[in-house]
Amino acid sequence: MKTIALLPAGSVSDEAAKQLFAGETLNWKHHRLISDVFLSTVNGISDYSVIPMENTIDGSVSLHLDWLVHEVDLPMQAEWVYPSIQNLIGRREEFSGQSGEPDLTTIKKVISHPVAMAQCTQFLREHMPQAEKEHVGSTAEAVRIVRDHAGEGIAAIGTRSAAANNGLDLLATEVTDHDNNYTRFMLVGAEPYTARQSDRVKTSILITLPEDYPGALHQVLSAFAWRRINLTRIESRPTKKKLGSYYFYIEIEMSLDTVLLPAALQEIEAIGCQIRILGCYPSFTYEQLL
């Protein structure tokens, strides 16, 4: 039986993982911190880790990308997207107004994961400008804190399942600032993921330039462009070696099992760039996993 490391039960990661692995019998290993999720698989306690990588509203989760690049060596084995539907969670009786409906102006503090909080910025500004904002390790942890601190004026942003798991109420539903809020997840581990098949395969690489000179990035991108290889994402991140030194994280809509992509990578290496392949993996849309 496979063991999957992920953030706590009731988090968006938990819901997304259960969609990818629907119908399979698995051992779920929940962790409070993303570092513990990574290290669980590094240390052989789990077979895979489920890592949130990017969000429609808040963009790239830089901390998680940095972990994959600098802290661990775990190949990417699959990616998929899942809707991040956030809700305001607490005890209805604690915040009930004269009408019997929740009076959000009586909330003293709102807690959640920083990415989830960022997804609800406009809602928080409009409805709870008085509330203190506090970040915790996951949305599920935020909901548990609210459960354990009754009467202290605290509410959480999290999922419906987290509210149900902890016996709490939905004070407001679907509070994200945009309706099309999705999170992209990556499955990382040593073993290829073969439970589902997709007609879309992607490859993720890191490219480090030999030095910073005019046209260096253009030369790299030209190797893909003239071969008509589609890049779905490119992001620069610090190498952490010296100020102003960057690597480029690139996602390519093509498998390594082709003629064109390996040839492009050889051309890039020929101009002195270092290339690290992070994974070649199936990519699933939300609709594919329904």
Side-chain angles (χ1 to χ4, degrees):
M1 183 188 302
K2 299 292 185 186
T3 298
I4 313 298
L6 66 169
L7 290 171
S11 63
V12 177
S13 292
D14 181 49
E15 293 182 349
K18 289 174 180 175
Q19 184 185 48
L20 178 69
F21 290 101
E24 297 185 51
T25 302
L26 300 163
N27 179 32
W28 303 104
K29 191 75 175 176
H30 295 101
H31 297 277
R32 188 173 65 86
L33 301 176
I34 197 68
S35 56
D36 293 331
V37 174
F38 277 114
L39 293 175
S40 174
T41 303
V42 168
N43 295 327
I45 298 170
S46 57
D47 298 287
Y48 297 109
S49 288
V50 173
I51 308 298
M53 292 295 292
E54 186 180 11
N55 176 261
T56 303
I57 298 173
D58 204 41
S60 174
V61 187
S62 299
L63 170 65
H64 299 179
L65 179 57
D66 283 351
W67 260 87
L68 282 170
V69 173
H70 299 293
E71 304 295 336
V72 301
D73 185 14
L74 293 173
M76 298 174 172
Q77 302 295 359
E79 75 158 16
W80 72 107
V81 295
Y82 188 82
S84 294
I85 302 174
Q86 305 294 352
N87 307 275
L88 186 67
I89 297 168
R91 290 177 175 81
R92 180 174 290 270
E93 66 272 15
E94 188 174 343
F95 303 110
S96 290
Q98 293 183 349
S99 65
E101 293 299 312
D103 181 0
L104 304 188
T105 63
T106 62
I107 295 174
K108 298 178 182 178
K109 180 189 292 187
V110 178
I111 59 176
S112 193
H113 186 277
V115 173
M117 194 85 79
Q119 296 167 15
C120 308
T121 300
Q122 295 176 21
F123 175 85
L124 293 171
R125 184 185 299 121
E126 180 179 351
H127 297 281
M128 288 168 288
Q130 81 291 343
E132 178 187 350
K133 315 301 187 297
E134 182 178 312
H135 294 160
V136 294
S138 70
T139 55
E141 180 185 357
V143 176
R144 285 199 306 273
I145 291 172
V146 170
R147 179 198 65 190
D148 296 338
H149 291 78
E152 297 183 21
I154 306 175
I157 290 174
T159 66
R160 284 179 176 269
S161 59
N165 291 346
N166 290 276
L168 296 175
D169 303 308
L170 299 177
L171 304 178
T173 59
E174 300 183 14
V175 299
T176 46
D177 296 333
H178 301 275
D179 294 334
N180 62 335
N181 185 31
Y182 286 82
T183 296
R184 189 163 62 94
F185 290 87
M186 195 70 69
L187 188 72
V188 300
E191 184 177 332
Y193 173 79
T194 58
R196 294 174 183 261
Q197 302 296 319
S198 176
D199 57 359
R200 187 183 186 209
V201 177
K202 294 174 68 175
T203 301
S204 289
I205 64 172
L206 297 180
I207 294 181
T208 305
L209 304 178
E211 59 180 311
D212 186 14
Y213 61 89
L217 181 58
H218 180 268
Q219 280 189 290
V220 170
L221 297 181
S222 294
F224 299 113
W226 76 262
R227 292 179 173 88
R228 301 184 67 84
I229 297 174
N230 189 39
L231 308 182
T232 58
R233 182 180 172 192
I234 180 168
E235 179 178 346
S236 63
R237 294 288 301 154
T239 63
K240 301 187 185 295
K241 295 179 179 179
K242 64 178 182 178
L243 190 64
S245 175
Y246 299 91
Y247 66 81
F248 293 90
Y249 171 72
I250 299 177
E251 292 180 358
I252 306 161
E253 199 170 34
M254 184 173 286
S255 171
L256 283 170
D257 296 330
T258 61
V259 174
L260 289 177
L261 182 53
L265 300 184
Q266 289 173 6
E267 181 179 325
I268 293 167
E269 288 179 324
I271 63 174
C273 295
Q274 294 180 345
I275 297 177
R276 175 182 167 191
I277 296 173
L278 295 179
C280 181
Y281 48 86
S283 174
F284 301 97
T285 64
Y286 175 59
E287 289 73 20
Q288 279 179 282
L289 300 179
L290 289 176

